[in-house]
Amino acid sequence: MRIISWNIDSLNAALTSDSARAVLTRQVLDTIDALDADIIAIQETKLPAAGPSKKHLEILQERVPYYDLAWDSSQPPARKGYAGTLFLYKSGLTPLVTTPAIGAPEPMDAEGRLITLEFPDFYVNQVYTPNAGDQLRRLPDRQAWDRAYADYLAGLDQSKPVIAMGDYNVAHQAIDLANPEANRFSAGFTDEEREGFSKLLGRGFTDCFRHLHGPVEGVYTWWAQRVRTSKINNSGWRIDYFLVSDRLAGQVTACEMIDSGPRQDHTPILLDLDLSAC
């Protein structure tokens, strides 16, 4: 099975805008299309509460007619057009789709941050983890989210193996960002967030990239848009992950970052795994 995950930073803009950035985004979508994934997970869709519009669906049908979709968008009282997640999965796959509430602080459960696909022998979950916010204002709520999400994923894992992915908004180790010392108290690299991710892994999950590649440095998934030279200088962060239940780790055959060219922000990530033993 091949799965791709990407924080797209507005699916609406990617599909309907004529801006230079939207053009770059569509070029990345073309790259993803050519990789023939079984499942594509998209975070930060920023779609309306009602989900993809008729125009969005028409464009998606034209681009990827061989996929079905499942989505979860921000609902009141959460902010309009905020966060949101979407799965594309190949026609012929028939998962049970859920958009779980995990008991996170309000309004996180209403922000469209989780979708789970249940297959006969495993679960596929995507997440868009809340950011701790400017001046870490949301850090306590982020910590509560981390605990609730870890409980949720571990609960799934008790039933059958889990493949989880998405924007986790944390650089787990110092090698997961270019400038760790300068970001010791920045959102995404606080001790609290890193500890939360460690505890999630400790519940029985494997970071697929590190499992395959070990302590390689300089490989990132996000470069700040506000710093024009961040990608040129590779001043990035690895904050997007594939995780699998520990018992699936030996079945992971590839976990890579997909080249997104000059487009800054997140780059897509790819996972290949052999599920024949499931």
Side-chain angles (χ1 to χ4, degrees), residues 89 199 251:
Y89 52 92
K199 287 182 176 179
Q251 292 161 246

Side-chain angles (χ1 to χ4, degrees), residues 63-81:
R63 288 190 66 96
V64 285
Y66 34 86
Y67 287 93
D68 295 322
L69 62 84
W71 56 269
D72 192 19
S73 292
S74 183
Q75 306 287 333
R79 278 189 279 165
K80 181 180 179 181

Side-chain angles (χ1 to χ4, degrees), residues 159-202:
S159 173
K160 44 191 158 185
V162 176
I163 306 161
M165 70 219 63
D167 176 3
Y168 284 82
N169 261 318
V170 61
H172 183 214
Q173 301 172 340
I175 57 173
D176 290 319
L177 71 168
N179 299 298
E181 290 305 317
N183 287 285
R184 280 285 291 109
F185 302 102
S186 297
F189 195 59
T190 63
D191 291 345
E192 293 86 350
E193 291 162 300
R194 297 169 67 195
E195 180 183 13
F197 196 77
S198 291
K199 287 182 176 179
L200 171 59
L201 296 179

Side-chain angles (χ1 to χ4, degrees), residues 119-272:
F119 294 92
D121 299 313
F122 56 91
Y123 292 100
V124 175
N125 168 263
Q126 75 159 308
V127 62
Y128 176 34
T129 302
N131 191 288
D134 293 338
Q135 298 182 351
L136 304 179
R137 290 190 183 94
R138 218 179 184 189
L139 180 58
D141 286 350
R142 161 64 189 266
Q143 291 178 270
W145 168 279
D146 285 347
R147 291 190 292 269
Y149 177 70
D151 287 343
Y152 170 71
L153 223 59
L156 294 182
D157 185 53
Q158 291 178 0
S159 173
K160 44 191 158 185
V162 176
I163 306 161
M165 70 219 63
D167 176 3
Y168 284 82
N169 261 318
V170 61
H172 183 214
Q173 301 172 340
I175 57 173
D176 290 319
L177 71 168
N179 299 298
E181 290 305 317
N183 287 285
R184 280 285 291 109
F185 302 102
S186 297
F189 195 59
T190 63
D191 291 345
E192 293 86 350
E193 291 162 300
R194 297 169 67 195
E195 180 183 13
F197 196 77
S198 291
K199 287 182 176 179
L200 171 59
L201 296 179
R203 300 289 292 270
F205 297 97
T206 296
D207 174 348
C208 295
F209 181 81
R210 289 288 170 226
H211 172 70
L212 288 184
H213 300 283
V216 61
E217 299 183 17
V219 182
Y220 308 122
T221 67
W222 177 82
W223 300 264
Q225 292 186 65
R226 296 178 182 179
V227 183
R228 295 182 64 180
T229 59
S230 65
K231 195 165 191 179
I232 294 171
N233 295 332
N234 199 27
S235 182
W237 298 49
R238 189 174 76 98
I239 58 176
D240 303 85
Y241 298 81
F242 278 108
L243 309 180
V244 296
S245 297
D246 287 344
R247 59 192 182 279
L248 287 183
Q251 292 161 246
V252 174
T253 58
C255 186
E256 311 292 341
M257 286 58 174
I258 297 170
D259 184 3
S260 54
R263 184 186 185 277
Q264 293 188 188
D265 201 49
H266 295 263
T267 203
I269 56 177
L270 176 148
L271 179 76
D272 285 339

